Amino acid sequence: MFWKLRLPLILTFLVGCVPVVTFFLAERVPGVSIVPTTVERYMVIIAGFALLLGVVNVVQGSVRRIAQRRPGWPFAISLLAGLLVMGSFGVLSALRVGPFQGLLAGPRGEVTPFLWMTRHFFDPLQAAIFSLLAFYIASAAFRAFRVRNLEAALLIIAAFLVMLGRTPLGEYIFRWAPGGERWLPGLTDWFMAVPNTAAQRGVIIGAALGAASLSLRVILGIERSYLGAKER
Amino acid sequence: MGQVLGLWIGAFLTLCVFSFLYRDNPFFRFAESLFAGISLGYYIGTVSANTLAPNLFRPLFRDFPNQAHLLIPLLLGLNLYCRFIPRIAWMARISLAVYIAYFVGINMVQKLQGEVVPQIGATILSPWGGAFTPLDNLILITGVVCVMVYFYFSIEHKGPVGAVSRLGIWFLMVGFGAAFGYTVMGRVSLLIGRMNYLFIDVVRATRQIL
Amino acid sequence: MKLERLVRLDRRIIYLLIAVGTLLPILWRIGFPVSPTPPVQALFARLETLGPGDIVLASFDYGPTTAPEITPMARAVLRHCFERRIRVVAIALFPLGGVTMGGEVLGEMAAEYPALRDGEDYVYLGYKDGTQAAMKLMGASFASVFPFSNAGVPVEEIPLMQQVRNYADIDLVVSFSTNVIGEWWANLVNAQFGVPVAVGTTAVWAPKHFAFLDSGQILGLLGGLKGASEYEHLLVAAYPRLEPLYERAGVYTAMKGMDAQTVDHAIIMLFILIGNAAHFWMRRRESARRPG
Amino acid sequence: MRATVFLFAGAAFLAGARALGQGDRPGTGQSPAGAGAPLALFLLFSFLVIFFIVRSRRGHELFIRRIPGIQAMEEAVGRATELGKKVLYLPGGGKLEDNQTIASLAVLRHVASLSARHATDLAVLNKDPLTFAAARETVQEAYLQAGRPDLYHDEVVTYVTYDQFAFTGAVAGYMVREKPAANFFIGDYQAEALLLAETGQATGAIQIAGTAEVTQLPFFAVVCDYTLMGEELYAAGAYLSREPAMLGSIKGQDFTKAALILYLIAGIVLEVLGVHWLRDFMSIQ
């Protein structure tokens, strides 16, 4: 029990106090800041090892899928192929083997194989999936923006006015009035600067307190779901 | 040539992704699984070339006596793999505990110092005045307080507290609506970028080599 | 029955309309009216006061993801400079693709002006990391931050750079920025070195910059596609020679992008109205049917 | 346990005293007011939270208001059981070091235990590799405690990829093909929030979201059936556990909030009177 639960909890407490104490001492005691910088370097390395843990899981899952001929197994091959090609380019670049000198640029700025793959496979795929949002934001607005009650009405009216104020349409509608072309754009700015800031601020303050409270629970060993461990 | 070939590959993959809008299909499935593999490979590359090689292995091999302390993260990192050996699987928890504990400590002070204090400070305003109307500050202050009350957990929300928290919800709704409407433009820009790529960049590059 | 179908419209119809509404305007300009706002006019007017012999520092502080918004700004401002024979020193401070953006846009624009010479009328110094540190260091010496141009030429051998030691030799900084870097040009470089700064940034970041505009730390601001389209509009009005570049089919400009934005906004708003009208009528019909 | 509490309070106090004592030493270039507010807030907050934790451990009853999204979790898992479909849980796109992710693991423990008790299939897909490692511990233990360790296998919690949009694409495909009856998006979400929620909506799943990311809350609130907003996400784990110590910490955080509201109002009153020191104390340069 000690090794499996107590030890991790004691470590959590000790390690958790380090940044708290160094934070308040950092500006007063010269040299203290070396502690967080060193520990952070360690943490980045640990996270690096964790990525490999994920890779192992993906490879296991894909191989299993292919071996058992599960539905869609050929796609596991394309996954493994992408992983193998890109991953090996990456590792070879890290080891600086043969033509793989440098990851995203060669010693004289030339295009590396890794960069070529990044530009023509990775970047377009990333941008394409990201841009699906333009479609989804439209369908979400159509489907979900129904005036069902007062709260929904407030949300929809605000969204509608802001959308209108962000285009030349918003300037056009009230053009007939003196200075009218600034009305809707001005209203948009007001919505963002006043009610939206108020809502965001309230959420941020509450969430920050919630996060700090969670931190304290973890440091004190009360919250331990991440260890899978139950309270005593 | 390599450039144009690359553009055509990118265009094909973009169309594969867009085909998902119609329905799930083998082209999307191909692009999606290829992307999963390539992206993992990408991070294997960046992690090994930008983190593990320069920050761990090279210092350890080149200057072991001075860099021996790097054995600590090395061991903690390797320790994660104990998960694969059932008898000592629990040992992986130690690395997790250390990792989480450190960041949880950082988050605690950062949230209080970097979020609560400045946000409260910025709300201590004279209620009369504002950039748009003379009531802006008053509305802002009311909104912040009402939303904070909405998040109060340990009293029941009825009577005056209920009324204030209801007002808090209204502020949240207006704020969410405005943010939603405001974001549309940025998302459309992303699509403009892709249309540009498909119908202007690729076409132009192809025309050049023909 | 029809109302139900409208309320539960197949989302693919919306997708199709958005796709068409985005694509057509960027190929052929519709020509919605553009009315320039004061922050955009201010930058335009400032460049109008500069001429041959003056030097503008153009900083590429954005990457490919925000290129549809920012690249048209960079193109328009560079064209404006080159039309007026203002010399341009370009740098990049954004890590994710700033260096490629800078190289591409500057190369493209310079190609339109064959009379201008690389190294004399413009130069591209490339990317430097450590944003704020680099910004401060340039106040002392450009050569210490950028010892070589992006093409690998030592700065001492570049005629233009012989006239640029630090910010004192720069007449205007224009940052094309996707995030907080634009603010740093205002509250760090302008505040500490007094060099005039203008910022072109995304629609998302623009509101944050208004405070710097008010305080005079930046003299002009282009916000998102809208700001870019306003600048293009001013440029074409003042230099009619450039009009074909902006009206031609198959070339992307902010005015076209703004047309696409307007169409898409209109589509979305229309659908919200239709959806609500159908929803409302359906509810009314249901309550009318209910007995009692 | 109590010793730990005292140790922590002691360490905090020492740190505080040390910092305050040397605060206005000339030549440090740091305005003492700048660090004073965070420290004061830290001490007040820690005191209140620890005080209420200790008090509730002694058996004081605590009231916590209803949080609708949490009530709906059981219903969502129940529906998946009826339909014989999966429950999908995503602990967010954030890293393990983000507190939202840790809060998500606390909710995951509850959802996993519900799934185990209903013998419903659960799928937890991960973007962050360390979160993946931690989620496996969480889920395995939850199954064990629910008395169904037999149902746990290594394909319940799986890793996808580290890239935000590759992950989103893979999960969107998964949702369309497997059609889970309940989707949980709990944790730190960025631009993927709407992509995931819209796809899930199209497949007809009950969706419960939770995030403290203000920029994404509008999208979850509009598309999902229930959304845990901001602080509710952090409180969820405590609420679900029903442990006195956990609930005590929420009470402590509520009292801090009340103190802050009073401070805010006092500051505004002084501001009207032309006295600025309450505001200045809270502004960091």
Side-chain angles (χ1 to χ4, degrees):
Chain A
M1 204 59 208
F2 173 81
W3 294 104
K4 290 184 188 178
L5 185 58
R6 275 288 151 79
L7 180 67
L9 288 180
I10 292 171
L11 277 173
T12 305
F13 176 75
L14 293 176
V15 178
C17 289
V18 169
V20 177
V21 175
T22 51
F23 175 84
F24 288 112
L25 292 186
E27 270 137 20
R28 273 85 193 173
V29 186
V32 164
S33 57
I34 186 110
V35 177
T37 33
T38 312
V39 178
E40 263 150 56
R41 263 176 73 199
Y42 289 178
M43 295 303 169
V44 174
I45 293 171
I46 298 177
F49 277 97
L51 181 67
L52 254 41
L53 198 66
V55 173
V56 171
N57 184 262
V58 170
V59 173
Q60 277 181 336
S62 303
V63 169
R64 206 180 295 142
R65 184 171 281 260
I66 297 168
Q68 301 175 355
R69 293 285 188 275
R70 291 200 203 162
W73 63 268
F75 298 106
I77 298 178
S78 61
L79 191 155
L80 286 179
L83 172 63
L84 204 70
V85 173
M86 197 76 178
S88 54
F89 284 5
V91 172
L92 290 173
S93 306
L95 299 174
R96 302 202 176 141
V97 177
F100 297 93
Q101 299 291 328
L103 191 68
L104 286 167
R108 280 179 308 284
E110 63 269 35
V111 175
T112 59
F114 191 82
L115 178 65
W116 195 86
M117 292 285 292
T118 305
R119 255 193 209 158
H120 301 300
F121 285 82
F122 186 76
D123 290 348
L125 279 166
Q126 206 175 29
I129 293 186
F130 196 6
S131 74
L132 290 178
L133 271 173
F135 300 103
Y136 285 16
I137 207 169
S139 65
F142 167 69
R143 211 197 48 257
F145 281 11
R146 298 282 155 81
V147 182
R148 297 192 177 87
N149 51 36
L150 180 64
E151 278 86 17
L154 288 171
L155 188 137
I156 295 160
I157 291 167
F160 201 86
L161 289 176
V162 168
M163 263 190 256
L164 201 58
R166 297 264 284 153
T167 60
L169 283 178
E171 292 171 4
Y172 215 63
I173 293 177
F174 293 108
R175 229 186 207 158
W176 47 270
E181 68 266 16
R182 286 296 307 153
W183 288 358
L184 276 174
L187 188 65
T188 295
D189 292 342
W190 179 83
F191 266 119
M192 294 309 287
V194 182
N196 183 53
T197 305
Q200 287 208 353
R201 227 172 245 181
V203 174
I204 289 174
I205 294 172
L209 289 175
S213 163
L214 177 76
S215 287
L216 208 49
R217 292 201 293 267
V218 170
I219 293 174
L220 296 178
I222 298 169
E223 170 62 67
R224 44 181 98 152
S225 301
Y226 65 97
L227 289 177
K230 196 186 150 53
E231 168 87 334
R232 274 165 295 175
Chain B
M1 191 62 215
Q3 172 75 6
V4 177
L5 177 70
L7 279 172
W8 274 98
I9 294 171
F12 171 71
L13 293 174
T14 304
L15 291 173
C16 288
V17 169
F18 282 175
S19 71
F20 184 65
L21 290 168
Y22 182 68
R23 57 152 68 171
D24 186 32
N25 65 73
F27 288 101
F28 173 74
R29 232 178 144 174
F30 165 73
E32 170 234 298
S33 53
L34 182 72
F35 190 19
I38 284 193
S39 62
L40 261 184
Y42 177 87
Y43 288 101
I44 292 175
T46 44
V47 164
S48 49
N50 296 344
T51 305
L52 295 184
N55 297 346
L56 180 68
F57 291 119
R58 243 172 266 150
L60 270 182
F61 284 120
R62 292 205 182 136
D63 185 15
F64 185 78
N66 283 318
Q67 302 290 341
H69 66 104
L70 289 174
L71 289 176
I72 301 171
L74 176 69
L75 288 176
L76 284 172
L78 288 175
N79 185 31
L80 286 169
Y81 295 84
C82 291
R83 192 67 173 63
F84 291 112
I85 309 163
R87 222 167 47 84
I88 52 164
W90 59 270
M91 274 180 49
R93 282 179 184 180
I94 292 177
S95 299
L96 285 174
V98 168
Y99 190 87
I100 287 185
Y102 183 74
F103 285 106
V104 145
I106 288 196
N107 290 343
M108 181 173 179
V109 277
Q110 266 181 2
K111 293 278 175 191
L112 295 178
Q113 182 251 359
E115 293 184 3
V116 179
V117 170
Q119 296 290 343
I120 292 280
T123 313
I124 302 182
L125 300 160
S126 164
W128 323 119
F132 299 92
T133 71
L135 290 179
D136 287 352
N137 288 353
L138 184 64
I139 297 172
L140 182 75
I141 294 164
T142 314
V144 173
V145 172
C146 292
V147 173
M148 282 174 80
V149 170
Y150 168 78
F151 284 117
Y152 216 92
F153 295 106
S154 50
I155 26 173
E156 199 138 14
H157 286 190
K158 52 184 185 190
V161 177
V164 173
S165 95
R166 187 96 203 262
L167 193 56
I169 296 179
W170 292 352
F171 266 97
L172 286 173
M173 290 301 134
V174 173
F176 287 175
F180 192 109
Y182 202 83
T183 315
V184 174
M185 194 169 232
R187 299 316 187 209
V188 171
S189 295
L190 297 170
L191 182 60
I192 291 176
R194 286 302 90 198
M195 291 293 192
N196 215 345
Y197 178 80
L198 282 178
F199 293 95
I200 295 182
D201 293 352
V202 175
V203 172
R204 188 172 38 192
T206 312
R207 220 184 261 157
Q208 269 166 12
I209 63 154
L210 284 181
Chain C
M1 264 308 107
K2 270 192 180 157
L3 276 178
E4 276 90 32
R5 267 201 8 223
L6 204 55
V7 169
R8 281 187 209 83
L9 187 72
D10 190 332
R11 58 185 84 206
R12 284 175 288 199
I13 294 172
I14 303 174
Y15 296 161
L16 184 68
L17 284 172
I18 292 286
V20 173
T22 312
L23 178 60
L24 295 186
I26 66 168
L27 292 179
W28 297 281
R29 176 142 199 249
I30 299 175
F32 285 117
V34 182
S35 46
T37 50
V40 178
Q41 282 163 334
L43 172 60
F44 188 83
R46 173 56 72 104
L47 277 178
E48 284 289 295
T49 65
L50 302 180
D54 292 324
I55 299 172
V56 164
L57 177 69
S59 184
F60 286 83
D61 307 330
Y62 73 102
T65 43
T66 45
E69 279 181 274
I70 315 284
T71 295
M73 296 178 190
R75 285 192 183 138
V77 170
L78 289 179
R79 277 190 181 124
H80 195 184
C81 291
F82 291 154
E83 280 292 321
R84 299 195 59 77
R85 292 283 174 150
I86 301 166
R87 289 173 295 166
V88 175
V89 176
I91 57 172
L93 297 178
F94 187 68
L96 305 170
V99 65
T100 23
M101 289 324 311
E104 278 170 20
V105 177
L106 186 69
E108 234 176 85
M109 290 303 103
E112 291 178 9
Y113 296 84
L116 302 182
R117 312 265 306 251
D118 190 356
E120 289 174 25
D121 299 294
Y122 61 88
V123 67
Y124 185 43
L125 299 180
Y127 167 74
K128 199 77 207 172
D129 62 358
T131 323
Q132 281 170 302
M135 283 172 162
K136 273 191 203 160
L137 217 51
M138 279 185 277
S141 143
F142 270 73
S144 61
V145 184
F146 295 99
F148 299 95
S149 78
N150 198 48
V153 184
V155 285
E156 309 86 65
E157 295 170 19
I158 302 172
L160 176 54
M161 290 314 290
Q162 286 162 4
Q163 294 172 44
V164 179
R165 280 164 296 117
N166 53 32
Y167 290 131
D169 302 315
I170 298 285
D171 296 283
L172 175 67
V173 176
V174 186
S175 162
F176 304 107
S177 115
T178 189
N179 61 6
V180 71
I181 300 178
E183 289 178 27
W184 290 339
W185 280 110
N187 62 20
L188 196 151
V189 177
N190 175 273
Q192 291 189 11
F193 302 98
V195 55
V197 171
V199 177
T201 188
T202 62
V204 176
W205 279 85
K208 290 193 163 178
H209 285 75
F210 276 105
F212 298 110
L213 199 64
D214 285 341
S215 64
Q217 285 171 291
I218 56 179
L219 61 89
L221 175 65
L222 312 184
L225 265 179
K226 187 147 186 333
S229 69
E230 291 169 19
Y231 203 92
E232 289 178 350
H233 180 79
L234 290 171
L235 188 67
V236 170
Y239 301 88
R241 194 181 84 71
L242 295 176
E243 194 171 329
L245 289 178
Y246 283 95
E247 298 294 337
R248 208 166 58 199
V251 169
Y252 175 66
T253 68
M255 289 191 277
K256 288 178 184 164
M258 203 55 214
D259 285 352
Q261 291 277 10
T262 308
V263 171
D264 285 346
H265 273 74
I267 293 172
I268 296 173
M269 288 188 289
L270 197 69
F271 269 109
I272 295 174
L273 290 177
I274 294 174
N276 273 295
H279 179 74
F280 178 76
W281 284 109
M282 224 168 80
R283 277 221 312 219
R284 237 176 86 138
R285 208 174 54 189
E286 271 162 25
S287 60
R289 265 193 220 137
R290 211 172 298 141
Chain D
M1 194 60 230
R2 197 172 303 161
T4 331
V5 171
F6 284 125
L7 196 64
F8 186 75
F13 180 72
L14 275 180
R18 183 89 190 260
L20 274 185
Q22 305 189 351
D24 29 22
R25 194 173 54 190
T28 53
Q30 181 72 28
S31 107
L39 185 66
L41 180 62
F42 170 78
L43 292 176
L44 172 79
F45 177 79
S46 308
F47 169 77
L48 284 173
V49 171
I50 293 172
F51 174 79
F52 281 103
I53 289 176
V54 173
R55 209 170 86 118
S56 58
R57 279 232 164 118
R58 291 207 187 122
H60 282 266
E61 276 293 308
L62 288 176
F63 169 83
I64 299 287
R65 78 162 160 89
R66 223 172 63 86
I67 302 175
I70 294 179
Q71 253 92 16
M73 287 179 184
E74 179 130 28
E75 176 199 329
V77 177
R79 205 175 81 127
T81 314
E82 278 167 29
L83 296 173
K85 288 183 178 173
K86 281 188 178 172
V87 172
L88 175 66
Y89 191 101
L90 307 180
K95 296 182 177 181
L96 181 60
E97 59 250 42
D98 189 313
N99 276 17
Q100 297 184 62
T101 311
I102 300 169
S104 177
L105 290 175
V107 177
L108 171 61
R109 178 162 150 195
H110 177 70
V111 173
S113 118
L114 281 175
S115 309
R117 273 186 269 136
H118 288 82
T120 302
D121 278 343
L122 172 70
V124 185
L125 305 184
N126 291 280
K127 173 182 164 271
D128 180 62
L130 276 165
T131 309
F132 158 69
R136 282 214 280 200
E137 302 286 341
T138 307
V139 172
Q140 191 170 15
E141 188 71 23
Y143 273 62
L144 186 70
Q145 268 156 37
R148 298 306 303 266
D150 52 309
L151 292 178
Y152 180 83
H153 53 95
D154 263 356
E155 284 177 60
V156 175
V157 184
T158 48
Y159 188 70
V160 182
T161 175
Y162 193 59
D163 182 74
Q164 182 187 9
F165 293 109
F167 176 77
T168 309
V171 175
Y174 183 92
M175 285 198 265
V176 169
R177 279 161 225 142
E178 303 280 332
K179 297 208 167 39
N183 295 340
F184 290 85
F185 312 123
I186 315 269
D188 175 19
Y189 284 85
Q190 299 294 334
E192 68 274 20
L194 182 63
L195 288 169
L196 295 169
E198 257 307 274
T199 311
Q201 209 282 335
T203 63
I206 289 196
Q207 306 202 95
I208 300 177
T211 187
E213 196 58 58
V214 264
T215 53
Q216 299 305 326
L217 272 174
F219 303 107
F220 276 149
V222 162
V223 178
C224 293
D225 299 285
Y226 298 93
T227 306
L228 301 172
M229 297 188 282
E231 201 174 352
E232 291 175 344
L233 163 66
Y234 295 111
Y239 186 95
L240 288 165
S241 75
R242 291 267 144 215
E243 281 170 30
M246 296 267 226
L247 296 177
S249 73
I250 293 187
K251 184 112 184 158
Q253 136 198 356
D254 266 357
F255 268 77
T256 314
K257 216 176 309 163
L260 285 171
I261 292 178
L262 290 179
Y263 185 95
L264 184 62
I265 292 170
I268 290 164
V269 170
L270 288 183
E271 199 68 14
V272 172
L273 300 174
V275 182
H276 303 299
W277 58 267
L278 278 186
R279 183 196 65 192
D280 294 343
F281 184 64
M282 274 284 186
S283 50
I284 301 180
Q285 250 324 308

